């Protein structure tokens, strides 16, 4: 039976481990990890080709798009360079994300209103090549509306602030996620979510209305140190049920 919530596994941090030794080792081997993700019940591989190439490299994009047994979701900034890479390699999905060189990780959603003209044109180009497009945004109704206007297939809500918040602030962020998810569904957008999700928050995020996909990276790679990747993914799947 098909899972109600599809699990995308972000393997950037496996590439980080390789790159801290200058990319000179042939381990961890990302193609082997894809097999483990599949065996554990993951449905998609998510990778972020950052402009500074701190983890995923151009050759990873080429190899994974060509050979991965699971569909590839390529996260990238709104730039002409990235657009050309996506068109060449044809991942199943492109997810537009914001990018700042000095950030440790993607720290918030993309302000698609600010880059509306570019993102709308790039979305049209990608969709004309049968690449589906999602926008990584904060759970905000104006942004959801802009995403629908730009004809995105999906929005991925940034869950990072909700994950880190406590008490009434956490409830406030949750309400924003619920309202934005309902509105996105009403406008015909698929609802995805990601960032900072761990076992504890997977149990909660599954209750988000209309949620069909999560993308999880850091926690899974950390859990894999103890459990192995396949088991960590199986356990995450259980928490999403
Ligand atoms: N979704 C998007 C759009 C992201 O940028 C990231 C981080 O690269 C993730 C999901 C995964 O976040 P985490 O590694 O915190 O699980």
């Amino acid at each position: 039976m098909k899972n109600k919530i599809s699990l995308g596994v972000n393997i950037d941090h496996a590439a980080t481990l390789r790159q801290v030794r200058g990319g000179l080792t042939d381990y961890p081997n990302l193609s082997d990890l894809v097999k483990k993700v599949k065996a554990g019940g993951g449905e998609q591989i998510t990778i972020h080709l950052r402009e500074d190439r701190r983890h995923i490299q151009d050759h990873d994009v080429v190899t994974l798009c060509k050979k991965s047994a699971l569909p590839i979701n390529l996260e990238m900034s709104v730039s002409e360079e990235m657009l050309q890479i996506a068109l060449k390699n044809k991942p199943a999905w492109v997810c537009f994300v914001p990018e700042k060189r000095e950030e440790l990780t993607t720290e918030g959603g993309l302000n698609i209103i600010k880059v509306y003209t570019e993102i709308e044109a790039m979305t049209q180009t990608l969709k004309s090549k049968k690449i589906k497009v999602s926008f990584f945004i904060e759970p905000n109704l104006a942004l959801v509306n802009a995403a629908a206007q730009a004809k995105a297939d999906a929005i991925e809500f940034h869950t990072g602030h909700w994950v880190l918040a406590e008490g009434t602030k956490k409830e406030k962020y949750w309400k924003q996620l619920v309202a934005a998810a309902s509105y996105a569904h009403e406008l015909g957008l698929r609802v995805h979510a990601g960032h900072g999700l761990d076992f504890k928050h997977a149990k909660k995020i599954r209750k988000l209305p209309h949620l069909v996909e999560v993308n999880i990276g850091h926690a899974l790679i950390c859990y894999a140190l103890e459990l192995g990747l396949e088991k960590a993914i199986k356990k995450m799947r259980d928490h999403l049920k």
Side-chain angles (χ1 to χ4, degrees):
M1 201 175 74
K2 203 168 162 268
N3 292 308
K4 193 169 146 256
I5 300 172
S6 156
L7 173 60
V9 176
N10 182 317
I11 58 171
D12 290 351
H13 294 300
T16 302
L17 281 176
R18 185 192 60 198
Q19 293 312 120
V20 288
R21 289 292 164 93
L24 298 174
T25 60
D26 57 4
Y27 51 83
N29 181 303
L30 301 191
S31 299
D32 289 346
L33 294 186
V34 172
K35 292 177 199 151
K36 299 230 182 282
V37 170
K38 195 170 178 202
E43 280 111 339
Q44 168 173 273
I45 297 294
T46 294
I47 50 175
H48 182 178
L49 184 68
R50 292 187 78 101
E51 288 171 8
D52 64 9
R53 308 298 198 265
R54 69 174 74 158
H55 38 56
I56 294 295
Q57 304 295 301
D58 294 67
H59 65 80
D60 294 322
V61 177
V62 174
T63 307
L64 291 169
C65 286
K66 224 183 247 169
K67 298 201 175 141
S68 166
L70 291 172
I72 299 295
N73 172 34
L74 177 64
E75 294 177 359
M76 59 184 222
S77 61
V78 185
S79 77
E80 190 55 35
E81 182 203 6
M82 291 298 155
L83 177 69
Q84 292 312 321
I85 291 171
L87 292 172
K88 218 192 228 166
N89 291 286
K90 295 205 170 58
W93 281 86
V94 157
C95 177
F96 282 112
V97 298
E99 206 171 301
K100 283 194 253 122
R101 296 227 167 187
E102 63 276 15
E103 70 193 353
L104 285 178
T105 177
T106 312
E107 285 164 2
L110 177 64
N111 185 347
I112 54 171
I113 295 172
K114 227 170 158 185
V115 290
Y116 188 84
T117 312
E118 297 95 308
I119 210 169
E120 186 190 34
M122 287 185 190
T123 298
Q124 201 178 356
T125 306
L126 290 162
K127 286 177 71 169
S128 75
K129 301 289 176 202
K130 307 231 170 337
I131 299 169
K132 291 196 243 15
V133 181
S134 70
F135 299 165
F136 184 55
I137 59 171
E138 295 296 326
N140 164 300
L141 301 190
L143 293 172
V144 171
N145 199 33
Q149 262 182 37
K151 301 208 163 46
D153 297 288
I155 37 79
E156 178 170 331
F157 289 124
H158 177 245
T159 48
H161 302 308
W162 167 69
V163 165
L164 292 178
E166 309 253 349
T168 51
K169 249 193 168 174
K170 199 171 190 94
E171 281 166 35
K172 190 183 113 198
Y173 282 131
W174 179 253
K175 281 187 185 147
Q176 285 172 358
L177 281 164
V178 171
S182 303
Y183 189 45
H185 179 72
E186 218 175 275
L187 297 183
L189 292 159
R190 279 169 59 94
V191 176
H192 302 175
H195 211 276
L197 297 173
D198 50 16
F199 287 150
K200 183 174 136 197
H201 289 87
K203 269 181 174 294
K204 296 185 180 166
I205 199 72
R206 69 183 183 193
K207 297 190 181 123
L208 187 70
H210 314 295
L211 182 69
V212 292
E213 177 181 312
V214 289
N215 286 292
I216 306 181
H218 184 255
L220 278 173
I221 300 298
C222 292
Y223 296 144
L225 292 174
E226 272 195 51
L227 302 171
L229 187 58
E230 193 178 322
K231 263 202 188 145
I233 290 167
K234 277 193 178 138
K235 203 164 163 187
M236 188 62 85
R237 271 253 65 100
D238 287 345
H239 283 75
L240 287 166
K241 258 184 207 149

